[in-house]
Amino acid sequence: MLNPPPPANNPAFSSARDIVRTVDAGQPLRWLVRAWHDVTRCGWISVLHGVAIALAGALMLWVAHDRFWFLAGAFSGFLLVGPVLVTSLYALSRGLERGEKAGFSKVLETWLNWKHGRIQPWGEAQWQLVRFGVLLALGGTVWVLISAALITWLAPVPITSPLVFVEQVVLAKEGWLFEAWLVLGGSLVAPIFASTVITIPFLLDRQVGIGQAIAASWRVVLGNPVPMAFWGAILMVLTFVGFATALTGLVLLVPLLGHASWHAYRDLLDASALPERE
């Protein structure tokens, strides 16, 4: 169950007038249940996001081909940039909360600022999301390069398939390559996860700056370490399942996780005192 919001003298209360709520460890499972309701209400519009990202994943696999070192890094990179790829799913969930129709126009409005039958000039809200997405893409690119360098230069044999990766890196009896790969990946993914867990829904929903949204995301994670660790594990495991099912699982898992991330934001942060973003 959700705990009551902390009083104003609690450290979780910021001068930006957003309040971090604390939730129990099982709350991420409830986010998934609410997300499923959103998927069923949005129908094909939600599923279309999963199809698009599955096709993008197929293109990534085609580019990787026999270069499994690229695929390993790209999987982690996908986790980093995933939050910005599903921005319109947040907008759909937000619209459902406000009693709005979950139509494809909401997707066009989110990505193209489509209003009154045509594309309108982008405002600060759109450019904030673009800048934040570029930062995430740079972080993902850095990790792909680091992962490629480690696996290519230090693996005892060329890594050309998942089986070879498991045999020569994960289950290697000598060396420390797998451990180093995990440590480096965790050192990059953990702070990015803390910086993004509610940042984009917050930017979409309220008139705040990128720095303020990132700070709130960090306070959410620090205020809910166990639920956030559980939520991060769910994101990682379900994304892996999506890839392991030849990307077909992503068709449903992407919209499910996208809508669930919106509900995570709504449960974890009370931003009602801040002006809404139209």
Side-chain angles (χ1 to χ4, degrees):
M1 298 295 292
L2 289 174
N3 294 329
N9 59 358
N10 189 290
F13 184 84
S14 77
S15 59
R17 295 178 297 159
D18 57 75
I19 304 174
V20 172
R21 297 189 179 103
T22 56
V23 300
D24 64 38
Q27 195 66 19
L29 297 178
R30 301 182 186 99
W31 299 335
L32 292 174
V33 172
R34 295 180 204 165
W36 179 249
H37 292 159
D38 285 357
V39 171
T40 57
R41 293 173 68 185
C42 294
W44 68 270
I45 299 173
S46 283
V47 174
L48 183 63
H49 290 74
V51 172
I53 291 181
L55 291 175
L59 177 62
M60 185 174 68
L61 289 175
W62 179 77
V63 171
H65 189 45
D66 60 351
R67 295 182 290 275
F68 185 69
W69 52 264
F70 175 84
L71 185 60
F75 170 76
S76 301
F78 178 84
L79 292 175
L80 301 183
V81 302
V84 76
L85 298 178
V86 295
T87 301
S88 45
L89 289 174
Y90 310 146
L92 287 167
S93 287
R94 182 178 188 250
L96 291 175
E97 283 188 5
R98 294 153 64 102
E100 299 171 359
K101 183 179 179 181
F104 189 66
S105 60
K106 180 66 66 176
V107 178
L108 294 177
E109 180 183 339
T110 303
W111 291 108
L112 301 177
N113 202 24
W114 181 274
K115 296 177 183 178
H116 310 299
R118 62 189 181 91
I119 298 175
Q120 304 289 337
W122 277 14
E124 179 60 20
Q126 285 82 16
W127 287 114
Q128 280 186 329
L129 292 173
V130 169
R131 288 193 291 269
F132 191 65
V134 170
L135 290 175
L136 291 179
L138 289 175
T141 300
V142 168
W143 169 238
V144 169
L145 294 176
I146 292 174
S147 176
L150 277 174
I151 297 175
T152 302
W153 295 343
L154 301 179
V157 299
I159 306 299
T160 58
S161 70
L163 180 60
V164 176
F165 179 79
V166 171
E167 291 178 347
Q168 299 297 328
V169 178
V170 178
L171 300 179
K173 296 181 180 179
E174 299 180 357
W176 43 265
L177 176 56
F178 184 59
E179 290 77 7
W181 188 69
L182 288 178
V183 169
L184 282 174
S187 65
L188 178 63
V189 172
I192 292 182
F193 172 75
S195 299
T196 60
V197 68
I198 57 97
T199 300
I200 296 179
F202 193 15
L203 288 171
L204 180 76
D205 187 44
R206 300 289 162 169
Q207 295 182 32
V208 295
I210 293 177
Q212 181 180 335
I214 292 175
S217 187
W218 272 89
R219 290 188 292 106
V220 160
V221 172
L222 295 175
N224 296 271
V226 175
M228 289 296 93
F230 184 33
W231 180 230
I234 288 174
L235 293 173
M236 183 174 64
V237 170
L238 291 185
T239 301
F240 176 78
V241 169
F243 275 79
T245 55
L247 304 179
T248 57
L250 292 178
V251 173
L252 282 180
L253 290 175
V254 164
L256 186 69
L257 294 178
H259 288 300
S261 295
W262 170 261
H263 292 291
Y265 156 69
R266 295 291 286 155
D267 278 358
L268 291 165
L269 194 72
D270 178 7
S272 58
L274 294 168
E276 285 189 321
R277 179 92 68 187
E278 294 299 330

